[in-house]
Amino acid sequence: MVVQEPLVFLNFRGADVRDSFISFLVDAMRIAGIKVFIDNDEMKGEDLNILFRRIEESKIALVVFSRRYMESKWCLNELVTIKKCIDEKKLVAIPIFFKVEPDELTELLDNACREIHGNAHDTHIMKKWMEALTCIKSKTGLTFKEKSNEANFVKEIVDKVLQRLSTIQCLEEEPKMATLSGIEYRLKQVEEKMCFDRGDETRIVGIVGMPGIGKTTLATELFNKYRCKFNRCVNFLRIGENFLDFGPGRLRKMFLEGLLQKPIAKLSDEATYDDYLKRNKVFVVLDDVSSATEIEVLLGNRNWIKKGSKIVIITRDRAFITEFDPNPYVVPRLNPRDGWKHFSFYAFEAGICDLERRDYVKMSREFVDYARGNPLALSLLGRDLVGKGEVFWKATLDALAKCPNQSIQELLKISYNELSEKEKDAFLDIGCFFRSEDEYYARSLLGSRDHDSEAASQITDLAFKSLISISGGRVEMHDLLHTFALELCSLSTNQEKCRLWKCQDIIAALQDKMINNSVKTVRGISLDMSEVTDMPLDTSVFTKMCNLLYLKFYNSTCPRECEGDCKLNFPDGLSLPLEEVRYFDWLKFPLEELPSDFNPKDLVDLRLPYSKITQVWKVPKDTPKLKWLDLNNSRMLQKVSGFSKAPNLLRVNLEGCTSLDCFSFKEMQTMESLVFLNLRGCTSLWHLQDMNLISLKTLILSGCSNLCKFPLISENLESLYLDGTAVRDLPSDIVKLERLVSLNLKDCRMLNFVSRALIGTCYPGYEVPPWFSHQAYGSVLEPQLPPHWCDNKFLGIALCAIVSFRDYSVKSNRLVAKCICEFENLDAPGSRFSVPVEGWFETGDEPRTIESDHVFIGYISWLNIKKRREEMFKTGCVPTKAILRFQVTDGRTGEDIAQCEVVKCGFCLVYEPDDEVSSAAERRRMNGESQEDEVRTLISTEDGPIETPTTAKSENSFS
C-alpha cells in the first residue's frame, strides 16, 4: 500500500513489544485519528533505508526503550536519525520507558556494544549512538513499570501525543483552522435528531453530504460536546481507509479497544465483550463509512448497544444507512455570509477582508460564489491565495473558469472512483448534458435501451451519494461537481466513451481528426453554434459515430440564432445512420426532412426548432420511446406525419409553424399518451378534426387566427387557450370539461356567446378560494399592488365576496354583489368606479329564507381596466394603492340591502401565464402525472371571467 506522510513515527525493538504493547498502542492512536507509521506498514521488498525518510517526514517520534532495545543496530541507527531531526527542529521526540529505567539505558548500550555489536564501542558509530541515547532519554517521557495497567498507559501515551500535536505549528494537517461559520445552527439540528435530552432513547443518526461539506467537522464538534455524558465513547475516524488497510478483523478489534479502553489479545469470544459493553450507554461516531459491510463489521447485530446509547454514522452515501436512519441529516452548504467569513479566515493573514480593498472584496465574492458554500473548497482556495498579490488572485480566478482547483479535484475524485461504471456514465451525462433538467425527463433520457428503470436507480444512487440533488423536481449538480464532471470529460477524449462539449474537440470529431481516437467512441456532443463559423461537412460525418446517444446544436447567445442559417453545411446531403441516439436537438436543421437512414427506435426527445423541414419523415417509423417532439418555428413545416407509431408521445410543440394548415386525424388518434399540444401562432391552421385524445390536458391554440371552429378533442382538458382565434362559438359539449381550470378567450373578437357559467358564479359556501391573493375579513379590502401591475400581460381583476343572509328574508329574485374600487389618486377622473361581482337571478316573487352563506365571484376585464387607466393616468406609473368596498344591492332598484352582510372578501390580479413551465407541479402535469387540488384563478373574455394559473402574490392574506 502507498504510505501517506505520517505524523507519528514508532521506534521500537520488535522482539520485545511488537505483538503486544505496540499493537495496542497503534490501534489506540489510529482510533484517536492520529496518523502513525510502523515499519510493517511499508510495502514488502522496499529498501529498508526508506524508514529513515519516514522519520524525516514525521512530526513526532515515539521511542520505545525496552530491555533488549540496545541489541538492535537498526533501532540505534533510527535513534541517530531522530536526534538529527530534533537538532534541525523538524521533530519532537517522546521517550517511552517500557519496563526499564532511564538510568539503566547507558549500561545496557555498553553491554550490547561489547557482547553483541563486536568492536562497535571503539568506533565512530558508538559515539553517535551514545549521543543520540543521551539526547532522547533526557527528555520528558512516560514510564511503564512491571505491575502497571497497560490499557491506562496506552491511553496516557495517546493523550500525550494529542497534546504535543496541538502545540506543533508545522503540522501536516492545517496550520490554521477556522471554527466553521454557521456550525452552531447545524449542531443544534443534529442535537435535535440525537435526542440527548431523552436519556433512555437509543438513536442512530446519519450525517451525509457531498465531499468537503463539513460532515466530520460537525460530528467531531458534537462528540467533543457530549462525550463527557457517557462512560464509553469513541470517535472512530477514517473507517473506509482503515478497512482497506487492515481488513475487517483488525478494524473490529481497533473499534472494541477504543470502546473498552484496553487491549484485546484475540476476538475469539466476542460475546464476552458484548456482555461487558451492555453495562454502559455508549456514544459512538463512525466517520467516513464507505460500505454497508463496514457498519456490519463494527456494529454487528447491535445486541450489545445499551438502551439510551447514541451512534452517529458519517457517509457520503446515504444508501448504506437507510436501515438505521431513513431520514439522515444532510449537511447544508454555507450561506454566502458564512462562506465569506470562512474564506476570509484563510485568504487573509489577518483572518478578515479589509473592505476598503475593493478589488480584493470583489474577487473574494467571486471565489465564494465559485465554491458554492463548500467549506473545504473555501479553505483550500484561501490557503492558495493568502499572502499573494492581486495579479495572482486574478490569474487564479481565470484558471478556475477553465479548470477546477487541483486539490478540490483530487477530493471529488475519491467519490467518483467509488461509483459503478453505469453510475459514472450517468454522472458525466448529467454534468455535460442534463444539469437542471426535469427529473422525469432526465430519467427518461438516461435509461438504457433495454432497461429504462436502471436510470431511475442511477439517479437515486447519485443523489444518495450527494453527487447530485433533486430540487424542485429538477436534477441539480453543485458547481464544483459540474466543473469536475466537465474536466473529466475533457480528459477522457482517449477513453472508450467521449462526451464532447469544447468547440475545438467537436470540430475535430466532425472533421474526423480526433487525436489518438476514433469518432466511434463519441457518446455525446453539445456544440454552441455561436462559437462556430460557416463550415462545410462531408455527408458521412456521423456515419462512424455508431455509439452517439446525445446530439445538441444550440446557440447560447440567441436561442433562435436570428442571423443566418445553420452554420453546418452539407453540400452533398447528410447521412444519419444513428442506431442508438436518444436525444436529438438541432437548431436550424438545414434539410427539408431527416435522412431516410435515421433510425429513431431509441429516440426519446426530438427537437428541430427554427428548422427548414417540411416534414420530419415521409413514412411512419417505429418510435416506441419518443416522448417529446419540438418543431417550434419551423415555418416551412406543412404536415406532421409519420408518428402513428409513437404511442408514448407526451408533449408536442408546434408553435410558430405558420405553414401547417391541418392535422391528420389518423396520426393524432394513436397518440394515447399525449398530454400537451402547443399550436400557438400556427396562422395557417384552419381546421381540427373531431377526435378524442384521451390523455390531453393542455391545448394551446393561441393566435391561430384562421381557426374558426373548435371541436372538443379531449374531455380531460384542464387548460385551454383559444385567445386570438377566429372561433365564433364554443361547442355545446364544453360543459363536459369537468376538469377545466384554465380557459383563455382573450381577443376572440368573432366570439358570439359565452356561457355565463364561465364568467361568474354564485354558490353556497363561506371561504374565499385560496387563489385570491388578497383577502380580508369584512367588506373592505386595501391591497398593496405591485408597480406596473397592469402591464401588457395583464388580463383583468377577479373579485370575491362572501355574503351572509342571516338577517335577511329574500324578497327580491334579483340580488347583485358589487364592488366600488377607489385608487389612491382620488381627484383623477375615473379613479372611483363600480364593478358587479356576481348576481342572483331567480324566477318567481315569493320571499324565502336562505340559511347558508354564499360565495359570489366575478370579474372586470382588461379592456375596461385599460379604458379607465388611460383616462386616469395618461403618463407615469399607475397607482399601487386601492380601496375596495363590497356591498349587496337589489338588482331591480339598485338600493343597498343592509341586512345582507359581506363577511369576507377577496381580490386578485390576473395575468397571462408564462410560456415556460416554472413550477414542479406544472411540469408534472405536462408530463402526464396526476396533480390533485391545484388551484387556478380567473381570466376572461372581454365580458367575463375564466380561470388561469397566474396571479399576483401578496402578503395581505388571512388565516
Side-chain angles (χ1 to χ4, degrees):
M1 85 182 177
V2 178
V3 180
Q4 295 181 342
E5 184 179 342
L7 285 177
V8 178
F9 182 89
L10 277 177
N11 167 250
F12 62 94
R13 177 76 165 101
D16 281 353
V17 291
R18 181 186 299 277
D19 296 328
S20 53
F21 172 70
I22 290 297
S23 175
F24 305 144
L25 178 59
V26 169
D27 287 351
M29 285 198 288
R30 283 177 172 156
I31 289 171
I34 301 169
K35 288 184 180 178
V36 59
F37 177 81
I38 183 172
D39 55 10
N40 56 9
D41 284 343
E42 204 59 71
M43 294 180 65
K44 302 302 181 186
E46 194 75 63
D47 186 345
L48 288 177
N49 287 312
I50 197 173
L51 299 179
F52 297 116
R53 193 169 79 231
R54 299 296 177 218
I55 296 173
E56 294 171 351
E57 292 169 347
S58 298
K59 310 302 177 186
I60 292 178
L62 285 181
V63 181
V64 182
F65 292 117
S66 57
R67 183 67 56 183
R68 299 176 60 191
Y69 178 94
M70 306 303 171
E71 297 176 7
S72 169
K73 287 184 179 181
W74 194 264
C75 285
L76 293 169
N77 289 335
E78 285 183 350
L79 195 67
V80 171
T81 302
I82 290 171
K83 178 186 180 296
K84 173 177 171 287
C85 292
I86 292 173
D87 293 341
E88 294 172 353
K89 301 191 182 301
K90 294 180 180 178
L91 187 69
V92 173
I94 301 176
I96 307 296
F97 305 103
F98 189 80
K99 299 182 181 180
V100 65
E101 294 296 331
D103 294 341
E104 300 179 69
L105 295 178
T106 301
E107 183 180 349
L108 288 172
L109 178 57
D110 284 337
N111 293 339
C113 287
R114 184 174 55 255
E115 298 174 5
I116 298 174
H117 305 314
N119 296 323
H121 62 284
D122 295 327
T123 66
H124 177 67
I125 190 63
M126 170 63 181
K127 181 179 179 182
K128 284 191 173 184
W129 289 347
M130 187 59 71
E131 288 174 351
L133 176 62
T134 304
C135 171
I136 305 303
K137 76 171 186 176
S138 64
K139 297 187 177 297
T140 303
L142 299 169
T143 302
F144 181 80
K145 299 184 181 297
E146 283 287 349
K147 296 183 180 181
S148 299
N149 183 296
E150 194 166 306
N152 290 340
F153 186 61
V154 167
K155 186 175 184 302
E156 186 179 356
I157 295 173
V158 172
D159 291 341
K160 180 77 170 178
V161 170
L162 289 172
Q163 179 186 4
R164 292 295 287 149
L165 285 174
S166 67
T167 64
I168 297 175
Q169 297 302 313
C170 57
L171 288 180
E172 169 196 319
E173 300 290 333
E174 290 185 325
K176 177 175 155 185
M177 284 291 295
T179 300
L180 185 60
S181 301
I183 198 170
E184 297 82 5
Y185 171 72
R186 292 161 176 76
L187 200 60
K188 182 179 179 181
Q189 290 181 312
V190 179
E191 287 171 346
E192 290 174 356
K193 286 181 67 69
M194 294 295 293
C195 299
F196 284 107
D197 55 339
R198 299 180 206 167
D200 293 331
E201 185 171 336
T202 303
R203 300 287 291 174
I204 300 180
V205 172
I207 296 180
V208 300
M210 71 175 292
I213 201 66
K215 302 181 293 295
T216 301
T217 301
L218 177 60
T220 300
E221 286 287 328
L222 187 77
F223 181 79
N224 292 337
K225 183 175 180 179
Y226 287 97
R227 63 183 300 179
C228 60
K229 298 180 182 292
F230 296 84
N231 289 326
R232 302 203 177 279
C233 52
V234 61
N235 187 12
F236 202 33
L237 302 175
R238 295 193 292 274
I239 289 172
E241 177 186 329
N242 288 332
F243 184 83
L244 292 175
D245 289 347
F246 307 117
R250 180 77 177 277
L251 190 73
R252 171 73 172 164
K253 181 172 175 286
M254 292 165 62
F255 175 65
L256 288 175
E257 288 175 345
L259 273 178
L260 297 170
Q261 290 298 304
K262 69 175 185 178
I264 297 175
K266 293 182 180 181
L267 286 176
S268 56
D269 187 11
E270 287 201 38
T272 302
Y273 301 119
D274 288 354
D275 291 340
Y276 195 76
L277 288 170
K278 286 178 183 177
R279 301 174 190 175
N280 302 102
K281 300 175 185 177
V282 300
F283 181 25
V284 173
V285 173
L286 303 180
D287 172 60
D288 192 26
V289 173
S290 58
S291 71
T293 302
E294 294 163 8
I295 299 176
E296 184 178 350
V297 166
L298 296 175
L299 300 185
N301 57 21
R302 306 196 296 280
N303 291 336
W304 57 271
I305 301 175
K306 185 176 180 179
K307 187 176 181 181
S309 295
K310 313 292 182 184
I311 298 175
V312 177
I313 302 175
I314 304 168
T315 180
R316 294 187 298 273
D317 189 348
R318 64 189 296 175
F320 302 143
I321 58 173
T322 50
E323 175 188 350
F324 309 100
D325 185 2
N327 186 29
Y329 179 72
V330 181
V331 181
R333 62 188 186 185
L334 298 179
N335 61 39
R337 182 177 180 180
D338 289 336
W340 167 276
K341 290 164 63 177
H342 196 71
F343 172 77
S344 296
F345 181 88
Y346 292 100
F348 299 98
E349 293 176 348
I352 57 174
C353 178
D354 184 353
L355 297 180
E356 294 184 1
R357 303 174 70 181
R358 297 187 179 276
D359 289 341
Y360 283 96
V361 171
K362 181 178 181 296
M363 288 188 288
S364 294
R365 287 175 178 154
E366 292 184 50
F367 280 113
V368 172
D369 183 64
Y370 169 81
R372 284 287 192 267
N374 186 290
L376 184 57
L378 288 166
S379 62
L380 290 173
L381 290 171
R383 286 197 194 96
D384 287 346
L385 296 167
V386 65
K388 305 292 174 46
E390 187 176 332
V391 173
F392 183 85
W393 279 52
K394 289 180 179 178
T396 303
L397 267 178
D398 292 340
L400 288 176
K402 302 173 184 176
C403 178
N405 175 279
Q406 189 63 33
S407 299
I408 297 174
Q409 191 166 343
E410 290 300 320
L411 171 71
L412 299 178
K413 194 174 291 185
I414 296 172
S415 294
Y416 176 78
N417 289 337
E418 292 173 352
L419 300 177
S420 68
E421 285 304 311
K422 290 183 178 179
E423 288 170 342
K424 287 179 180 178
D425 280 342
F427 174 73
L428 296 177
D429 287 346
I430 291 170
C432 281
F433 306 114
F434 305 120
R435 185 190 186 200
S436 297
E437 289 287 1
D438 179 83
E439 179 187 3
Y440 175 79
Y441 179 76
R443 290 183 190 276
S444 299
L445 284 165
L446 293 173
S448 66
R449 286 181 297 171
D450 301 318
H451 305 285
D452 287 353
S453 61
E454 287 185 3
S457 171
Q458 290 156 16
I459 287 180
T460 301
D461 289 346
L462 290 174
F464 273 14
K465 298 176 192 297
S466 301
L467 294 175
I468 62 172
S469 62
I470 310 299
S471 178
R474 293 190 179 276
V475 178
E476 301 293 354
M477 182 179 286
H478 191 283
D479 283 6
L480 293 176
L481 288 164
H482 180 231
T483 309
F484 171 69
L486 292 178
E487 182 65 14
L488 283 182
C489 292
S490 297
L491 297 174
S492 66
T493 52
N494 294 326
Q495 305 301 318
E496 294 181 0
K497 300 173 184 176
C498 296
R499 297 164 182 84
L500 305 179
W501 59 275
K502 289 184 177 180
C503 182
Q504 64 270 26
D505 293 337
I506 296 172
I507 291 175
L510 294 177
Q511 296 177 342
D512 200 8
K513 296 179 182 178
M514 291 182 68
I515 301 174
N516 298 327
N517 207 349
S518 169
V519 292
K520 68 180 181 181
T521 64
V522 176
R523 179 181 175 91
I525 292 175
S526 180
L527 176 62
D528 185 352
M529 302 289 281
S530 66
E531 301 178 12
V532 179
T533 57
D534 287 349
M535 180 170 55
L537 293 172
D538 187 76
T539 183
S540 60
V541 62
F542 293 104
T543 302
K544 297 179 182 179
M545 296 186 186
C546 52
N547 293 306
L548 187 67
L549 299 182
Y550 314 114
L551 178 67
K552 181 175 184 177
F553 294 152
Y554 68 102
N555 190 311
S556 62
T557 58
C558 176
R560 303 180 182 182
E561 199 183 16
C562 296
E563 297 182 3
D565 296 326
C566 179
K567 296 177 182 178
L568 304 181
N569 304 313
F570 300 91
D572 299 321
L574 175 64
S575 177
L576 278 176
L578 304 176
E579 298 259 336
E580 300 186 12
V581 66
R582 303 174 192 170
Y583 174 79
F584 192 91
D585 182 358
W586 193 321
L587 177 65
K588 289 199 169 184
F589 184 72
L591 307 182
E592 292 186 357
E593 63 181 73
L594 286 172
S596 58
D597 59 352
F598 183 74
N599 188 345
K601 62 184 176 63
D602 284 330
L603 190 64
V604 177
D605 186 6
L606 175 60
R607 302 187 188 192
L608 301 173
Y610 294 87
S611 69
K612 290 187 176 182
I613 60 168
T614 57
Q615 61 182 1
V616 180
W617 38 60
K618 292 180 181 178
V619 297
K621 293 199 174 191
D622 287 327
T623 50
K625 297 186 179 182
L626 185 64
K627 295 183 179 181
W628 291 273
L629 174 64
D630 186 351
L631 308 175
N632 79 82
N633 290 285
S634 295
R635 303 188 186 279
M636 300 173 67
L637 182 71
Q638 298 173 0
K639 59 181 178 179
V640 180
S641 61
F643 291 96
S644 60
K645 298 181 180 180
N648 294 308
L649 197 57
L650 291 175
R651 292 172 59 91
V652 174
N653 182 9
L654 302 172
E655 179 174 341
C657 295
T658 53
S659 298
L660 185 67
D661 58 0
C662 65
F663 265 94
S664 166
F665 169 79
K666 184 178 179 181
E667 295 252 340
M668 295 294 293
Q669 196 65 31
T670 62
M671 300 180 185
E672 297 181 352
S673 300
L674 190 68
V675 296
F676 177 90
L677 176 59
N678 182 7
L679 296 164
R680 186 194 305 270
C682 293
T683 52
S684 297
L685 185 67
W686 62 275
H687 180 61
L688 284 178
Q689 290 182 321
D690 291 329
M691 62 187 83
N692 183 20
L693 301 177
I694 59 175
S695 300
L696 190 65
K697 296 181 179 181
T698 299
L699 175 60
I700 302 175
L701 294 166
S702 307
C704 294
S705 53
N706 281 313
L707 184 66
C708 299
K709 182 181 178 181
F710 167 68
L712 192 64
I713 62 174
S714 173
E715 295 183 4
N716 291 313
L717 281 175
E718 297 177 6
S719 300
L720 174 59
Y721 299 90
L722 296 172
D723 50 305
T725 63
V727 170
R728 297 178 180 275
D729 298 291
L730 294 180
S732 58
D733 54 356
I734 196 170
V735 294
K736 295 181 180 180
L737 299 180
E738 298 179 357
R739 299 184 181 183
L740 187 68
V741 292
S742 176
L743 174 62
N744 191 340
L745 298 173
K746 178 184 174 183
D747 293 333
C748 291
R749 302 185 184 278
M750 307 296 290
L751 191 63
N752 293 321
F753 174 76
V754 180
S755 169
R756 183 159 190 85
L758 294 174
I759 61 175
T761 188
C762 173
Y763 57 89
Y766 53 87
E767 289 292 345
V768 176
W771 44 263
F772 280 92
S773 51
H774 303 265
Q775 300 184 16
Y777 286 106
S779 61
V780 180
L781 182 62
E782 299 185 39
Q784 178 69 42
L785 306 177
H788 304 287
W789 52 270
C790 46
D791 60 16
N792 57 5
K793 285 196 172 185
F794 176 66
L795 296 173
I797 293 175
L799 300 164
C800 179
I802 310 298
V803 179
S804 172
F805 296 94
R806 282 182 302 177
D807 301 323
Y808 179 67
S809 179
V810 178
K811 300 176 182 178
S812 172
N813 61 357
R814 296 178 65 87
L815 295 177
V816 175
K818 69 178 184 179
C819 175
I820 299 172
C821 301
E822 297 180 10
F823 289 93
E824 62 183 358
N825 190 349
L826 298 181
D827 296 330
S831 63
R832 184 179 189 275
F833 54 90
S834 177
V835 182
V837 178
E838 178 52 47
W840 176 324
F841 306 98
E842 292 186 341
T843 58
D845 296 322
E846 294 184 5
R848 63 189 182 90
T849 301
I850 302 174
E851 295 183 356
S852 64
D853 295 353
H854 274 62
V855 180
F856 289 75
I857 295 177
Y859 180 83
I860 179 171
S861 74
W862 173 84
L863 289 179
N864 291 331
I865 295 289
K866 183 180 180 183
K867 290 175 184 177
R868 290 184 171 88
R869 182 186 67 179
E870 290 173 348
E871 292 173 3
M872 294 160 54
F873 310 101
K874 298 185 185 299
T875 60
C877 296
V878 296
T880 58
K881 292 183 180 179
I883 300 176
L884 282 69
R885 293 184 173 87
F886 293 82
Q887 60 188 100
V888 181
T889 63
D890 188 304
R892 290 177 176 173
T893 66
E895 297 179 356
D896 291 351
I897 302 177
Q899 298 92 333
C900 295
E901 180 186 3
V902 177
V903 293
K904 295 178 184 176
C905 55
F907 160 88
C908 69
L909 302 173
V910 182
Y911 297 90
E912 286 183 9
D914 293 332
D915 291 338
E916 293 294 327
V917 179
S918 58
S919 70
E922 191 66 13
R923 286 196 302 274
R924 287 194 294 270
R925 291 165 57 82
M926 297 304 187
N927 286 331
E929 302 174 43
S930 63
Q931 184 69 18
E932 302 293 334
D933 301 326
E934 282 202 73
V935 180
R936 294 293 182 265
T937 56
L938 298 174
I939 69 171
S940 76
T941 65
E942 295 179 8
D943 302 306
I946 310 156
E947 296 191 292
T948 182
T950 308
T951 59
K953 294 184 178 179
S954 170
E955 300 298 327
N956 299 349
S957 60
F958 60 83
S959 55

